[in-house]
Amino acid sequence: MVDQQTHTQNVQKDSNKNENFSLHDPPHRTKKEALIIFFQGSENLLPAGHSALKKQISEFLKNSAFKGQAGQVSILPFKDRQLILTGLGEAKNFYNGLLEQAAGAAVRSGCAAGINTYAIDAQIKLKGVSEADYQLLAGRGACWGTYTFTTFKSDAKKTPKTTLVFAGVVKGRTAIQTAEKQGASLLSTADLANLPGNAAPPAKIASWAKKMAKENGLSCQILGPAELAKKGCGGILSVAEGSAQDAKMIILKHAGTDPKAKPIVLVGKTVTFDSGGISLKPGKGMDWMRYDKCGGMAVLTAMQMIARMNLKTPVVGILGAAENMPGSKATRPGDIIKAYNGKTIEVLNTDAEGRLILADALGLAADLKPAAIVDLATLTGAVIVALGSSAAAVLGNDDRLIGNLISAGATAGERLWQLPLYTDYTNDMKSDFADLANLSKSGGAGTATAAAFLQEFVPEGIPWAHLDIAGMAWYQSPKPHQAAGATLFGARLLAQWVSDRD
Ligand code: BES
Ligand code: MN
Ligand code: ZN
C-alpha cells in the first residue's frame, strides 16, 4: 500500500532549531516504514483496498487486548514492516483532537520501540473529517509525538531523525505542508514552554521571541520597564515589582499581504513564574506555576505558524511577560494602581496578577484599531473546576467571533466551551476605592468575573474573546501522545482561525 509514495515529511526535531524538518520531493524511500493504522473501536479506518492487510489485522485482533480505545497503541509485525495500530475510541465520542493524539501516540510508542520511519495512508475512512483536515491533524500529531524535553537530562541521547511518509494518492500537497509547518512551530516553542522559572525569566522569553521573529520574517519590539512606565502600563509593572526580573512587553508583527486590512491581535499572559506574590500560594504544587506563561507560548507558536503559512491577514502578537514574586518591593493587597487605559485598580489579591498584565496588553492591542482581539491566559483555577482538562473556556463581547473560534477549535482538535459574560459579573468587580478591584466581591464565577474585569480594558466596538486555558496548557502526568509538560494548547486553533479568515 505504500507503493505510490507521494510525500515524505521529516518529523524529527534536532538541535538545529527552526529547521526541524523539511519536505523531500521526490521522497526517499526506505521500504521499511512502520505503517500507522487508525481504529475506531475494533474498526480499522483504512480506505478501500488493502485486503491482505485487513485480513491479517482482523486475525491479530481476535486474541489481542487492542480494542481501538483512545490512547491505545499496539505494534505488530506484518511482512517486512511493522504495523502500529492506534485507537480513536468509539465513533460517538470522537472529536478531531483524538485523531491528532492517536497519530502522536503511535509515533511516541514507535519512537520508544526504536522505530524512526513511519507511513500513514493519505486517506482515511472517517466521517466528518475532510482529507485535508485529516492530513493536517495526523501529520501535526505525528510531529508532536517525537518531542521529548531533555534540556536538563545529563544522559539524554540524541534522538535519531524521524520521517513520515503519506502513502497513496495525495490530491494536493497543501495540507501536508501545513502540517509540517505547524509541527515545526510546535516543536520549536516546546522547550521554551517547558523551562522552569529560573531558566525562562521575561528577558529570556523576549530574546527568544526576537530570534524567532528574525528567522520567520516577523517584526519584534520589546518594551522594558522604562518604556512601560512612560506609557503608563501600571498593571504589568505592579506584577513585576516584587521580582528581581524586569517585565517585558513583547510585540510581534506579521505584516500579511494587505497593508490596508485591520490586524488581528493575539494577546498572551506570560507569567514566567506565579508564586502568588504577597498573597502567596500554598507550597504544594507551586512548581506547576512555571506553566503560567503558556498563554504567551501559544501566541508565540501561533505567530510562527502564521508566518510560515504566509497568511494574508496582518496579525500582531502581544506577550505580557513578568514574574510574580513576593519581594520587598512587591505590590501589597490594597494597593491601587493605574492601567494603560487610565482605569484604576485596587489590587485585593496579588495572586490575581494575570488580569493586571492583560489589562495593559489589551489596552495596547486596542490602540492598533484591530479587527478582533483574542487573549489566551492560564487565568483561573476556577476554569479547572468548571471544565477540567477537557476544554478551555471562551468568553467575550462578540458571539460571531466566539462562534468562529469554537469552530476553528473543533477543526483543530482544541475544544472551547463558552461561558456567559453577564453584567452581574462586571458589577461584581467594582471597588469601593478605585474604578475596579482585581477580585470579585461575591467570590463566585471565578472565570467569568476575571473575563468581566478584562472586558473593562477593551473599548466597545472591538470584537474580543478571552480563552482561559488554565486546564489545558499542561499535562501533570505523561499521556500516550505526549510526555508531562506544556501542550501548547491554543496555537493550533489560533492558526486555524486566522487561516479560516484568509
Ligand atoms: N495562574 C493562576 C491561575 C491558576 C490557579 C491556574 C490555580 C491553575 C491552578 C492565576 O494567576 C491565579 O492565581 N488565579 C487565582 C485568582 C484568584 C486569586 C481570584 C485563582 O484562580 O485562584
Ligand atoms: Mn496568580
Ligand atoms: Zn497566574
Side-chain angles (χ1 to χ4, degrees):
M1 70 150 299
V2 279
D3 285 333
Q4 297 179 57
Q5 304 300 321
T6 48
H7 229 85
T8 300
Q9 180 179 17
N10 180 351
V11 295
Q12 201 256 317
K13 161 193 117 98
D14 56 36
S15 49
N16 190 3
K17 298 269 149 124
N18 281 326
E19 288 306 327
N20 292 332
F21 48 82
S22 56
L23 287 168
H24 305 296
D25 196 15
H28 308 292
R29 287 294 314 279
T30 63
K31 281 256 177 209
K32 298 280 185 203
E33 301 94 352
L35 184 59
I36 297 172
I37 304 172
F38 297 95
F39 279 77
Q40 242 171 3
S42 56
E43 195 190 338
N44 78 69
L45 302 182
L46 284 167
H50 309 298
S51 48
L53 182 62
K54 285 174 179 169
K55 199 161 158 253
Q56 170 83 18
I57 292 169
S58 53
E59 277 306 308
F60 168 79
L61 287 184
K62 274 183 198 154
N63 37 31
S64 155
F66 181 81
K67 297 281 178 266
Q69 292 153 352
Q72 208 181 14
V73 175
S74 184
I75 304 181
L76 66 137
F78 174 67
K79 294 187 179 165
D80 61 345
R81 69 177 73 240
Q82 313 258 48
L83 304 179
I84 308 182
L85 316 186
T86 185
L88 302 174
E90 296 302 327
K92 65 177 183 352
N93 301 326
F94 180 76
Y95 77 101
N96 284 6
L98 290 174
L99 181 55
E100 180 155 355
Q101 291 173 16
V107 169
R108 205 167 123 76
S109 300
C111 288
I115 299 169
N116 47 44
T117 58
Y118 299 87
I120 301 186
D121 206 288
Q123 271 88 35
I124 192 169
K125 210 175 60 195
L126 184 57
K127 254 187 38 209
V129 181
S130 73
E131 185 172 319
D133 286 345
Y134 157 63
Q135 290 170 357
L136 172 57
L137 292 158
R140 192 171 63 196
C143 289
W144 190 237
T146 65
Y147 178 70
T148 51
F149 178 53
T150 57
T151 306
F152 297 100
K153 294 281 193 192
S154 321
D155 59 353
K157 289 185 218 66
K158 203 175 176 298
T159 30
K161 242 191 175 0
T162 306
T163 59
L164 172 67
V165 175
F166 277 88
V169 183
V170 179
K171 281 192 200 128
R173 218 176 274 166
T174 327
I176 294 170
Q177 284 174 346
T178 304
E180 192 175 52
K181 288 169 187 168
Q182 296 196 2
S185 305
L186 290 164
L187 294 178
S188 128
T189 319
D191 278 354
L192 185 73
N194 282 314
L195 288 178
N198 65 333
K204 162 84 179 188
I205 312 286
S207 63
W208 193 97
K210 219 170 187 164
K211 183 161 170 281
M212 184 279 277
K214 203 165 164 213
E215 287 164 353
N216 290 281
L218 301 167
S219 76
C220 179
Q221 184 193 6
I222 315 275
L223 308 177
E227 290 106 323
L228 289 167
K230 211 165 131 203
K231 284 189 179 290
C233 291
I236 187 172
L237 287 173
S238 82
V239 173
E241 215 76 81
S243 167
Q245 303 294 338
D246 283 346
K248 307 278 180 192
M249 194 72 83
I250 303 160
I251 304 167
L252 297 158
K253 286 191 178 148
H254 166 74
T257 49
D258 181 1
K260 288 190 304 271
K262 286 180 167 183
I264 280 168
V265 188
L266 309 176
V267 173
K269 170 180 174 182
T270 315
V271 172
T272 60
F273 186 74
D274 181 13
S275 71
I278 297 299
S279 313
L280 194 63
K281 285 182 183 294
K284 189 167 181 283
M286 203 202 274
D287 63 287
W288 180 27
M289 285 302 134
R290 73 183 75 185
Y291 103 125
D292 215 15
K293 59 184 176 303
C294 281
M297 297 301 102
V299 171
L300 270 186
T301 311
M303 290 304 294
Q304 196 173 335
M305 290 176 171
I306 288 161
R308 290 187 179 208
M309 290 163 73
N310 234 328
L311 297 183
K312 292 194 202 108
T313 315
V315 185
V316 179
I318 304 182
L319 279 70
E323 187 183 43
N324 188 20
M325 295 288 268
S328 66
K329 293 183 185 160
T331 297
R332 294 152 286 259
D335 283 2
I336 295 174
I337 59 159
K338 191 187 270 190
Y340 175 73
N341 75 348
K343 291 195 182 178
T344 56
I345 304 163
E346 185 189 12
V347 182
L348 289 176
N349 187 319
T350 65
D351 197 13
E353 85 295 342
R355 59 196 77 184
L356 304 178
I357 294 173
L358 292 174
D360 288 341
L362 290 169
L364 293 169
D367 280 0
L368 303 170
K369 303 267 172 285
I373 304 175
V374 179
D375 78 74
L376 287 82
T378 49
L379 202 64
T380 64
V383 78
I384 306 174
V385 177
L387 300 172
S389 56
S390 300
V394 56
L395 308 94
N397 63 6
D398 188 298
D399 281 335
R400 223 179 78 147
L401 169 62
I402 290 172
N404 290 341
L405 287 165
I406 291 172
S407 101
T411 306
E414 295 184 323
R415 292 188 291 205
L416 300 180
W417 191 262
Q418 185 178 5
L419 297 181
L421 196 41
Y422 302 128
T423 44
D424 310 47
Y425 303 136
T426 307
N427 295 334
D428 215 10
M429 299 305 288
K430 299 223 161 102
S431 158
D432 293 333
F433 303 100
D435 298 333
L436 295 161
N438 77 333
L439 200 62
S440 78
K441 279 200 184 78
S442 74
T447 302
T449 51
F453 177 92
L454 297 181
Q455 187 170 27
E456 294 301 302
F457 302 89
V458 181
E460 251 169 71
I462 300 180
W464 155 78
H466 160 63
L467 273 50
D468 194 331
I469 61 168
M472 305 306 294
W474 190 271
Y475 289 136
Q476 305 279 13
S477 56
K479 303 281 178 247
H481 59 281
Q482 83 151 82
T487 63
L488 298 177
F489 181 96
R492 301 162 188 84
L493 85 86
L494 287 176
Q496 184 67 45
W497 173 63
V498 178
S499 140
D500 287 349
R501 291 175 65 100
D502 244 32

